[in-house]
Amino acid sequence: MTAFPAVAAFDWVTIAGGLRRPTDFADPNDGSGRLLVLEQPGLIRVIADGQLQERPFLDLTDRVGANSSEQGLLGIALDPDYAENGIFYLNYTDKNGNTVVSRFRRSADGTSGDPQSEQVLLYVEQPYANHNGGDLEFGPDGYLYIGLGDGGSAGDPQRRAQNNQTLLGKMLRLDVRGQTLYAIPPDNPFADGNGGRQEIWANGLRNPWRYTFDRLTGDLYIADVGQNKYEEINFVPAGSPPGLNFGWHYREATHPFADTPPAGLSLYDPVHEYGRNDGCSVTGGYVYRGSQLPEFYGVYLFGDYCNGFVWGMLRDSNGNWVVERLFQLGANISSFSEDAQGELYLLDHRSGSIYKLIRR
């Protein structure tokens, strides 16, 4: 499509409330009809038949630390064969504020997650309490992508995003399926162990707060939270080579920030940026691929945490990116999500509500 729909015909409606600082959402697509929602303090809650269930799917409050607004239980990815094998992955900060990425398994009766099944795959020390990243996504290549922020504070003071000897400020890519822990994909940039950490897939990120693969094309969209002037959206076409450098801390979006990049260093440009007149913290979304709202088919929807703006982004007939503000909600948008059918949802961090995009 090359034009945005008339949004007066659509609305975001509440499907559940009463959650404590929801951060992420997953549809198990296992025939149960249940939806799983992460609460930042460490619970995974269940929505069934439109009702928030009292019994959690998983309680990790004994190991999750959420002492700052950016710490806690932050991301979930279900194994592509979750319905059969019951395996899922979580990203959280522990009681010491460090990042943990772990594999879990469903309980024997299939109704809950087993807290004793945890296998820690990755442990990353966090020097500060902010910029933890936290998203987890399986790519069309079957690998797990892990977005980590630059370690926090402000301005990347230790220059971690451009230092390939640390995992901070990076997009990681791991082969976790069928592995005891994980293996390194052979085309990761430093898979041979020379020049950087083998887990790294791309660098130069400040705080990638939600990224997604288009379920139809495999294209990757990354929303990276800016420092104090600009937010950005990065687009990586399917099949792009690994090793991209998204530019932070040398620049914030397309604008110089600190230091001079080495001669010959290639920085990957965002396809969209916005300044403080339009928000203060970007939340990445999804390309709509559902069937209920064909007017949105192919539109990438993303938002801003601070003011509740929701934008649409698409390419026009000349291949140029076009962005239009479509909605303004009274919400702190912590995440967008999609169900197994491709319908879109958003999470309100402040009110603890889950909204679904519908036709009026």
Side-chain angles (χ1 to χ4, degrees), residues 224-245:
D224 199 15
V225 178
Q227 173 63 44
N228 52 25
K229 291 185 178 179
Y230 301 99
E231 309 297 303
E232 68 180 73
I233 300 291
N234 296 283
F235 172 78
V236 182
S240 295
L244 298 178
N245 187 329

Side-chain angles (χ1 to χ4, degrees), residues 21-36:
R21 290 180 283 157
T23 55
D24 206 0
F25 169 118
D27 181 354
N29 194 28
D30 57 1
S32 68
R34 302 186 305 169
L35 302 174
L36 304 179

Side-chain angles (χ1 to χ4, degrees), residues 190-259:
F190 309 112
D192 61 2
N194 294 318
R197 294 286 299 271
Q198 293 177 298
E199 296 90 346
I200 294 172
W201 181 77
N203 70 353
L205 292 163
R206 183 177 179 274
N207 192 26
W209 188 246
R210 303 311 181 207
Y211 47 90
T212 184
F213 291 92
D214 183 337
R215 62 165 61 191
L216 178 68
T217 66
D219 299 330
L220 173 62
Y221 293 76
I222 305 172
D224 199 15
V225 178
Q227 173 63 44
N228 52 25
K229 291 185 178 179
Y230 301 99
E231 309 297 303
E232 68 180 73
I233 300 291
N234 296 283
F235 172 78
V236 182
S240 295
L244 298 178
N245 187 329
F246 293 101
W248 175 253
H249 68 277
Y250 295 127
R251 66 185 189 186
E252 181 184 13
T254 59
H255 306 268
F257 183 80
D259 303 335

Side-chain angles (χ1 to χ4, degrees), residues 167-178:
L167 301 181
L168 297 171
K170 312 298 189 301
M171 185 71 75
L172 314 181
R173 183 174 65 155
L174 307 180
D175 181 0
V176 297
R177 302 182 69 201

Side-chain angles (χ1 to χ4, degrees), residues 262-284:
L265 182 66
S266 178
L267 303 181
Y268 195 77
D269 291 334
V271 295
H272 178 65
E273 64 179 48
Y274 66 88
R276 286 298 176 265
N277 289 335
D278 289 315
C280 75
S281 183
V282 67
T283 299

